[in-house]
Amino acid sequence: MDVKHKQDWMTIRKSRTTRALAQAIDEGLTSFTVVERQGKQVTTEERKVFTEFVSCSYLGLEHHPALIEAANQAMAKTGIHLSSSRGAMRPPYLGQLEKLLEEIYQGGSVAVFTSTSNVHLGVLPLLGSGSLPNYPLARPAHWLMDKTAHASMQVLRGILEQFGPVSRVDSADEQSIQQALQNCEENQRTPILLIDGIGSMNGLIPVAELTRKLAAAGGYVYVDDAHGISIMGRHGAGYAFAALDHILPSNLILAGSLSKAFGGAGGFVVVAGADDVEVISTLANPLVFGHSIMVPMLAANVASAKLHLSLEIEIRQEQLWKNINLFDSLMNNSLMNAGVQSPVRGALFENEAEGLEAARLLRDSGILLFPVFYPLVPDGNAMLRFAFSSEHRVDEIRHLANTLLEIREKGLNWVEPQAVVPQV
């Protein structure tokens, strides 16, 4: 009798991945080395200058004088790294940062990690095992993984299945959510929905509506708002927290990034109470067994948090959306995410060859972007991803739009805007 074995996800990905990404790297369309930067102008190791639409530092805080000065002062006092877990030894900046973040996320308690991915790795097993005091499980967990959830959550499926089954759902499809919640009720399971706030490739998730639905079903929502942090909301609290009227629901856990628009490095989680943070600090694997954020970056994070609590963050937010609205109007809302409060726009091509050629033409015009292929987009497709910043100048945005329109006139046309689902 033949036994059929289910292929693992990495084998599937390998079998469906072409050489498109490797070709893009070989040609310097991506994975290029930056040796110098002034605003959004970068100089590569070939000493060529380009305008980049690649960085996820949407507010340009990573080279703010306050962050650089804080990092320099910290290095002078304690060096680059204390090289220990936070439970063994920590600089003063860690406690300062968590207190400042709690001012931004009033009503919540915060724990800081080295990355958002490590937040997921540390917190989700605690949530799924019912170990967090303010998130009890009356019934075993059933994970509902949104199909657009970030790969850093999708890849944890094998770990999550130790605590309960994992089902893939479409959070934009009400019938999909309702069916999943009904299945959880019939099987006496606690639904835990895993979603992004703003997708790294496309769209916004209706966080408030989904939180209400999960609350009615006795379930929890875990939202990764890495791309939404800083760019909107009071004190730069982010898309998800703003969508929730700056109040943390009792059934929601918020994960965020300090490495994107925040301007520093690391990740953090916002939970209901200090007793949850105590459990996270003593049981979450990345905190118990891993090192803490490098000292200069912790100090820079503190400086950035102080800026978030000032009026400067609002000025940078306003400029970011002004830039994005200008681009949308110049492109007649023809790119993915047009008109959506996301800092990312995308041109999706039906085949990889056309996407590569469009990336070449943009590079020849002095523009660098992020070309992506399967598994970030359906196999066979290519997408040119543009990340906008408050620091982009009007002439740089107009040059990008004019170049894209010229590319379209040459017969390289992107498809109509649509949701792009990562094929993880």
Side-chain angles (χ1 to χ4, degrees):
M1 178 179 177
D2 293 333
V3 178
K4 293 184 178 180
H5 296 283
K6 182 180 179 181
Q7 278 191 315
D8 63 88
W9 63 272
M10 184 54 75
T11 300
I12 295 172
R13 177 187 294 187
K14 181 180 177 182
S15 68
R16 297 171 66 181
T17 297
T18 69
R19 285 205 75 259
L21 177 57
Q23 184 176 348
I25 293 172
D26 290 343
E27 296 185 29
L29 301 175
T30 192
S31 195
F32 40 83
T33 299
V34 174
V35 297
E36 189 177 339
R37 174 177 61 178
Q38 294 292 331
K40 302 306 290 184
Q41 298 287 305
V42 297
T43 303
T44 64
E45 61 183 345
E46 297 84 12
R47 307 309 302 177
K48 294 182 179 179
V49 179
F50 299 88
T51 301
E52 62 92 356
F53 290 85
V54 181
S55 171
C56 293
S57 183
Y58 306 119
L59 299 181
L61 290 173
E62 78 279 11
H63 55 84
H64 192 288
L67 274 69
I68 294 172
E69 178 62 21
N72 285 331
Q73 288 187 13
M75 284 190 291
K77 291 178 180 178
T78 58
I80 297 293
H81 194 21
L82 292 181
S83 193
S84 73
S85 68
R86 59 181 284 162
M89 182 168 54
R90 67 181 73 181
Y93 312 109
L94 178 58
Q96 294 170 19
L97 175 60
E98 290 178 340
K99 287 180 180 178
L100 288 167
L101 289 172
E102 287 175 358
E103 287 188 45
I104 296 172
Y105 298 95
Q106 291 188 9
S109 296
V110 175
V112 168
F113 288 70
T114 53
S115 69
T116 311
S117 295
N118 273 341
V119 173
H120 306 332
L121 183 60
V123 174
L124 288 176
L126 295 174
L127 177 59
S129 63
S131 300
L132 297 176
N134 292 291
Y135 302 88
L137 294 183
R139 301 179 294 185
H142 187 135
W143 308 95
L144 305 178
M145 183 79 71
D146 181 59
K147 68 179 187 178
T148 63
H150 194 266
S152 57
M153 288 191 282
Q154 303 266 8
V155 77
L156 297 179
R157 180 165 184 158
I159 293 174
L160 299 179
E161 285 177 340
Q162 296 181 48
F163 306 97
V166 180
S167 299
R168 213 164 188 232
V169 298
D170 181 356
S171 62
D173 183 345
E174 185 173 349
Q175 185 176 355
S176 174
I177 292 294
Q178 287 302 125
Q179 183 62 56
L181 294 177
Q182 182 179 335
N183 290 343
C184 288
E185 179 62 31
E186 291 172 355
N187 292 294
Q188 294 294 294
R189 292 277 182 173
T190 299
I192 302 177
L193 178 63
L194 308 181
I195 57 174
D196 282 356
I198 295 179
S200 61
M201 293 294 160
N202 63 281
L204 306 177
I205 301 297
V207 175
E209 178 185 348
L210 291 169
T211 301
R212 289 191 291 269
K213 287 183 178 180
L214 268 291
Y220 297 113
V221 175
Y222 181 93
V223 54
D224 175 351
D225 199 31
H227 287 272
I229 300 302
S230 303
I231 64 174
M232 62 182 77
R234 186 169 63 242
H235 302 315
Y239 162 72
F241 203 63
L244 296 162
D245 297 324
H246 297 87
I247 298 171
L248 186 72
S250 60
N251 70 320
L252 183 135
I253 293 177
L254 173 66
S257 174
L258 302 170
S259 304
K260 293 181 169 52
F262 198 86
F268 64 93
V269 64
V270 184
V271 288
D275 46 352
D276 297 312
V277 170
E278 182 179 354
V279 170
I280 291 169
S281 298
T282 55
L283 291 179
N285 260 29
L287 298 188
V288 176
F289 299 107
H291 64 77
S292 60
I293 298 172
M294 300 292 181
V295 173
M297 295 311 300
L298 263 179
N301 287 336
V302 169
S304 180
K306 291 177 180 177
L307 289 175
H308 278 66
L309 291 164
S310 74
L311 292 178
E312 182 168 349
I313 202 71
E314 297 177 19
I315 297 170
R316 289 178 180 254
Q317 287 175 342
E318 183 180 352
Q319 186 59 51
L320 170 65
W321 298 115
K322 186 182 294 185
N323 286 347
I324 292 171
N325 290 336
L326 171 62
F327 179 73
D328 283 346
S329 66
L330 292 172
M331 295 304 301
N332 197 28
N333 292 329
S334 64
L335 267 67
M336 185 195 71
N337 278 348
V340 174
Q341 273 197 302
S342 166
V344 174
R345 296 294 182 265
L348 182 69
F349 291 84
E350 290 185 338
N351 63 74
E352 295 171 339
E354 289 189 353
L356 284 166
E357 180 59 20
R360 294 185 192 104
L361 293 171
L362 283 160
R363 181 198 56 192
D364 292 344
S365 294
I367 297 169
L368 294 176
L369 56 119
F370 185 27
V372 297
F373 310 94
Y374 174 85
L376 296 175
V377 295
D379 51 327
N381 292 163
M383 188 176 77
L384 306 187
R385 178 186 183 275
F386 305 97
F388 287 85
S389 167
S390 61
E391 292 211 314
H392 278 116
R393 302 193 311 264
V394 169
D395 63 301
E396 293 170 337
I397 295 170
R398 289 187 180 277
H399 180 52
L400 171 61
N402 290 336
T403 305
L404 284 169
L405 293 174
E406 290 171 3
I407 287 172
R408 188 164 62 181
E409 290 176 359
K410 293 179 179 179
L412 294 173
N413 200 7
W414 50 90
V415 301
E416 289 299 311
Q418 58 181 297
V420 177
V421 180
Q423 306 296 296
V424 180

